[in-house]
Amino acid sequence: SEAECERVARLFRVYFSKDVGVGEGERDYLVDHTIVTYLMGPNWEFREFYGKGTDAEAMKDKVMRQKREAEMGL
């Protein structure tokens, strides 16, 4: 539901806005939103986030570091 989306957006401190009626059909819409990828741990705890400026190689390295730390219990 829209209320659930708003609750989760506040929880993760992200932004979204739906712009209805921008396309040819009445069901067309655009969604403006925060561009962030979250890495969650094995128990769904927040570990790290990556913004749109994080390239694939850097993200891979950071994810692998986080994986090793989680395996060591850090």
Side-chain angles (χ1 to χ4, degrees):
S1 73
E2 189 170 338
E4 291 171 312
C5 289
E6 290 171 356
R7 183 183 67 78
V8 172
R10 282 191 305 275
L11 181 67
F12 283 90
R13 297 180 180 154
V14 295
Y15 162 83
F16 73 95
S17 175
K18 182 176 175 181
D19 188 6
V20 180
V22 296
E24 294 180 19
E26 63 183 55
R27 295 180 62 188
D28 293 336
Y29 62 90
L30 295 175
V31 176
D32 183 20
H33 58 85
T34 305
I35 303 173
V36 176
T37 301
Y38 287 92
L39 178 65
M40 307 303 285
N43 297 312
W44 293 101
E45 74 278 9
F46 170 80
R47 297 293 295 207
E48 196 166 45
F49 77 93
Y50 312 103
K52 67 179 183 176
T54 307
D55 66 38
E57 188 68 22
M59 188 182 293
K60 178 194 69 98
D61 292 343
K62 291 177 179 187
V63 168
M64 294 305 295
R65 187 192 77 239
Q66 288 288 340
K67 180 179 182 291
R68 286 190 302 274
E69 289 177 5
E71 290 171 344
M72 295 186 308
L74 302 175

